[in-house]
């Protein structure tokens, strides 16, 4: 991808230059077109000047060859219009002491900005000012372009993730940066968070509106590699000149395409990263759910008047789970969390049966061996309640993670299905529970006590079945009795007493939950 930089000023910017203001400029026609780009300044008196232009020039003239010939004056303006000149500047003097009506009317009809200078003004000063400014801008833009290219290439070489590249682009552009797929769904963002959220709040409308033009600082570049167009990067509200912004967007697009090709990434992988970032932030609670709503909406998740079903699948593959969602026609997002857990957030219409659809999803997951267990929280109506729901589903998944009874559980496992183990998982971070576990198990938490702790775990999990415990640990019953006596001596408890055994069992569950 190559970009030729055409440095420009607008007609309005040229008229605001200090040297130009000294000539007392007055716009007498085409005032609505003052934002036209000025690519160059050309001094010309010839009546057929248009044949010497290539477009974008501001033409300076005294009109000395046009005085007294109204048809030549009209043709002069028409010639500039046909050549797509940006504006004409007429210096008033002996040829034209006042703005000529014929030229003014012709310029107004064709929308060509016409400016008169009321004070004598050396055109050489204007051309020097404007063209010097354009040259400086071109070199500054080229320098910026190479700096951006070098920085992004260095990051790619160092194996930096996509987000780091976008942060670099946002730093250079000074505005929000958004990467989307071809359906306008947001894959990644960068920039100041409040500004990004403002952009995403009404993303569906403004992204499509901005897709047809580059007005108001919305500058885009297509992401194309190996003959396939798969997304775009957008600078949202870029405040510099359009040519420089377009150059920056193109450099960013080059880097993203290279990043994808070298890393073996795909647009789908970026969608997974987007979903992972959103769901991780929801689960952590670090970012308030309401602030994440624009990101969810921009990622394509329906959020208005919906029922949200938080699910967590143990040992699930995100890509396969996403395929199951698509197969069942269920709107939602999927992302891998940690420790082999994958979060799935369903977004259902209010009139759909959330329990039935969650069960259908879980049944398909089991039938295709995509995951070992599907844990769920109760459906949430309010978006603000989704983080708590995801955390609850994660706790349920943790509670059954090491259970040998997964196959005996329902297709969708909820908190009520994991009983005491689920409760302990929910309370494992409570300081009182942690202190209780340490106090009850103090005699087994170090040294040789760790082997005895394993025996205790099996003994309590088997319902205090001595034969089963001896069998699982490959020891004789007398050897097991000696170990149980050692456990009771270290803990100062009687395991034949139901209440004391229950207390130790709860402490052991809490200890295991904390270690997990």
């Amino acid at each position: 991808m190559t970009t030729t930089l055409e440095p420009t000023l607008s007609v309005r910017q040229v008229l605001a230059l200090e040297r130009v203001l000294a000539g007392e400029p007055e716009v007498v026609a085409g005032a609505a077109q003052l934002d036209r780009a000025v690519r160059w300044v050309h001094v010309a008196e010839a009546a057929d000047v248009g044949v010497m232009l290539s477009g974008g020039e501001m033409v300076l003239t005294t009109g000395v060859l046009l005085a007294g010939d109204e048809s030549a004056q009209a043709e002069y303006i028409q010639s500039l219009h046909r050549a797509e000149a940006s504006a004409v500047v007429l210096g008033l003097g002996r040829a034209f002491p006042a703005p000529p009506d014929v030229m003014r009317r012709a310029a107004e009809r064709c929308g060509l900005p016409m400016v008169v200078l009321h004070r004598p003004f050396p055109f050489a000063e204007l051309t020097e000012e404007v063209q010097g400014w354009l040259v400086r801008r071109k070199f500054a833009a080229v320098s910026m372009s190479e700096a951006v290219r070098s920085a992004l290439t260095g990051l790619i070489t160092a194996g930096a993730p996509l987000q780091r590249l976008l942060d670099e682009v946002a730093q250079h552009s000074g505005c929000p940066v958004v990467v989307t797929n071809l359906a306008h769904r947001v894959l990644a963002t960068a920039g100041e968070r409040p500004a990004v959220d403002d952009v995403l709040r009404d993303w569906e409308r403004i992204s499509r509106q901005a897709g047809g033009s580059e007005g108001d600082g919305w500058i885009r570049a297509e992401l194309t590699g190996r003959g396939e167009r798969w997304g775009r990067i957008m600078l949202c509200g870029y405040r510099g000149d359009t040519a420089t912004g377009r150059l920056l967007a193109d450099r960013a697009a080059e880097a993203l395409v290279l990043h994808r090709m070298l890393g073996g990434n795909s647009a789908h992988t970026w969608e997974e990263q987007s979903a992972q970032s959103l769901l991780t932030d929801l689960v952590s609670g670090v970012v308030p759910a309401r602030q994440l709503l624009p990101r969810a909406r921009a990622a394509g998740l329906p959020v208005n008047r919906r029922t949200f079903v938080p699910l967590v699948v143990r040992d699930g593959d995100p890509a396969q789970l996403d395929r199951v969602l698509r197969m069942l026609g269920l709107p939602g997002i999927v992302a891998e969390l940690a420790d082999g857990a994958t979060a799935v957030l369903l977004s259902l219409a209010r009139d759909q049966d959330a329990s039935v659809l969650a069960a259908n999803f879980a049944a398909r997951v089991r039938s295709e061996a995509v995951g070992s267990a599907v844990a769920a929280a109760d459906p949430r109506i309010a978006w603000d309640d989704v983080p708590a729901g995801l955390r609850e589903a994660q706790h349920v998944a943790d509670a059954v993670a090491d259970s040998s009874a997964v196959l005996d559980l329902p297709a969708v496992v909820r908190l009520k299905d994991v009983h005491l183990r689920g409760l302990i998982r929910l309370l494992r971070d409570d300081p009182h529970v942690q202190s209780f576990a340490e106090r009850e198990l103090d005699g087994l938490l170090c040294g040789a006590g760790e082997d005895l702790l394993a025996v205790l775990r099996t003994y309590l999990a088997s319902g205090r079945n001595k034969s089963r415990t001896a069998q699982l640990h490959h020891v004789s019953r007398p050897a097991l009795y000696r170990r149980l006596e050692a456990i009771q001596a270290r803990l100062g408890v009687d395991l034949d007493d139901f209440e004391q055994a229950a207390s130790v069992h709860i402490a052991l569950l809490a200890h295991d939950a904390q270690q997990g």
Side-chain angles (χ1 to χ4, degrees):
M1 182 187 301
T2 59
T3 300
T4 300
L5 179 66
E6 290 289 352
T8 61
L9 280 169
S10 68
V11 175
R12 192 187 309 277
Q13 288 173 313
V14 171
L15 298 181
L17 295 175
E18 185 176 350
R19 289 189 183 182
V20 180
L21 290 174
E24 297 183 5
E26 178 190 0
V27 179
V28 297
Q33 301 296 323
L34 294 182
D35 289 322
R36 280 185 172 182
V38 177
R39 187 179 56 83
W40 206 243
V41 177
H42 193 75
V43 180
E45 300 291 352
D48 59 349
V49 63
V51 299
M52 296 181 286
L53 305 179
S54 58
E57 294 91 349
M58 174 179 278
V59 176
L60 312 179
T61 182
T62 62
V64 66
L65 300 181
L66 303 174
D69 188 342
E70 292 188 350
S71 63
Q73 295 169 23
E75 176 56 29
Y76 184 82
I77 296 297
Q78 288 295 331
S79 176
L80 295 179
H81 173 60
R82 288 192 296 270
E84 298 183 347
S86 60
V88 58
V89 178
L90 174 65
L92 299 181
R94 284 179 295 177
F96 291 103
D101 285 340
V102 172
M103 294 179 70
R104 183 183 58 77
R105 288 195 301 269
E108 192 65 50
R109 281 195 301 271
C110 64
L112 176 70
M114 178 175 174
V115 181
V116 297
L117 300 175
H118 287 279
R119 297 185 62 181
F121 185 88
F123 284 165
E125 291 188 12
L126 176 56
T127 57
E128 179 184 3
E129 176 82 5
V130 174
Q131 290 168 194
W133 198 98
L134 292 174
V135 169
R136 289 193 299 273
R137 171 174 283 194
K138 180 172 184 177
F139 280 111
V142 170
S143 177
M144 180 277 295
S145 172
E146 290 308 308
V148 171
R149 188 200 297 270
S150 176
L152 295 179
T153 301
L155 289 173
I156 293 172
T157 303
L162 169 66
Q163 188 61 53
R164 182 67 188 86
L165 269 66
L166 294 181
D167 289 341
E168 185 74 19
V169 176
Q171 182 177 348
H172 283 278
S173 68
C175 69
V177 176
V178 177
V179 176
T180 74
N181 61 15
L182 296 181
H184 299 276
R185 291 192 175 182
V186 173
L187 305 181
T189 63
E192 295 292 333
R193 195 73 252 169
V196 172
D197 288 344
D198 286 343
V199 168
L200 297 185
R201 194 160 285 114
D202 196 16
W203 175 254
E204 185 68 19
R205 179 184 63 81
I206 60 179
S207 64
R208 294 184 184 277
Q209 192 175 47
S213 65
E214 291 188 339
D216 299 325
W218 285 73
I219 299 173
R220 67 189 183 281
E222 301 300 322
L223 301 177
T224 304
R226 295 172 179 166
E228 177 189 6
R229 185 168 65 93
W230 46 272
R232 59 178 59 89
I233 182 170
M234 300 184 72
L235 309 184
C236 307
Y238 180 72
R239 295 185 178 182
D241 69 280
T242 302
T244 303
R246 192 177 296 119
L247 184 64
L248 176 57
D250 285 343
R251 290 293 173 266
E254 289 174 0
L256 296 192
V257 171
L258 181 61
H259 181 271
R260 177 193 180 193
M261 294 174 65
L262 291 181
N265 291 330
S266 66
H268 180 72
T269 300
W270 286 8
E271 289 174 350
E272 288 180 352
Q273 292 176 4
S274 175
Q276 183 177 42
S277 173
L278 174 61
L279 289 179
T280 299
D281 284 348
L282 278 170
V283 171
S284 70
V286 173
V287 182
R290 190 164 300 278
Q291 292 184 21
L292 297 172
L293 193 57
R295 285 170 58 188
R297 185 183 290 111
L301 184 72
V303 295
N304 294 331
R305 297 186 59 77
R306 308 291 288 186
T307 297
F308 302 101
V309 183
L311 306 172
V312 171
V313 182
R314 297 298 312 183
D315 304 319
D317 178 79
Q320 290 181 313
L321 291 171
D322 186 62
R323 180 176 55 80
V324 171
L325 282 185
R326 295 172 189 270
M327 189 182 305
L328 297 175
L330 296 175
I333 52 177
V334 180
E336 185 175 4
L337 298 178
D339 300 325
T342 299
V344 180
L345 181 61
L346 302 182
S347 175
L348 307 176
R350 293 282 175 88
D351 58 354
Q352 291 181 292
D353 192 321
S355 298
V356 170
L357 292 177
N360 290 344
F361 172 77
R364 181 60 64 91
V365 168
R366 273 197 176 182
S367 68
E368 299 194 12
V370 176
S372 60
V374 177
D378 290 335
R380 263 53 177 180
I381 300 299
W383 174 257
D384 286 346
D385 295 334
V386 169
L390 285 167
R391 287 192 290 271
E392 180 180 318
Q394 191 172 24
H395 283 307
V396 174
D398 288 344
V400 299
D402 300 320
S403 174
S404 60
V406 171
L407 296 178
D408 298 329
L409 293 170
V412 180
V413 187
R414 302 184 187 276
L415 196 58
K416 64 182 180 62
D417 299 314
V418 292
H419 307 294
L420 179 60
R421 187 181 297 272
L423 175 63
I424 294 301
R425 284 280 177 171
L426 283 175
L427 298 177
R428 64 180 175 179
D429 294 327
D430 188 298
H432 295 91
V433 174
Q434 295 172 356
S435 176
F436 169 76
E438 290 288 324
R439 184 173 61 252
E440 289 289 298
L441 301 174
D442 182 56
L444 300 179
L445 295 181
C446 60
E450 293 184 3
D451 293 334
L452 296 177
L453 194 66
V455 173
L456 175 64
R457 183 181 293 108
T458 303
Y459 178 62
L460 295 174
S462 66
R464 294 185 292 173
N465 186 317
K466 294 183 176 66
S467 297
R468 180 62 176 159
T469 302
Q471 180 183 9
L472 289 173
H473 283 271
H474 307 289
V475 297
S476 65
R477 285 176 65 93
L480 175 66
Y481 294 156
R482 288 193 294 272
R483 295 186 185 185
L484 291 176
E485 289 172 359
I487 290 171
Q488 293 180 108
R490 283 174 174 254
L491 298 182
V493 298
D494 180 2
L495 292 179
D496 290 329
D497 181 272
F498 176 79
E499 184 173 337
Q500 293 183 54
S503 180
V504 172
H505 194 183
I506 292 172
L508 185 57
L509 290 176
H511 169 76
D512 290 345
Q514 291 157 18
Q515 296 302 309

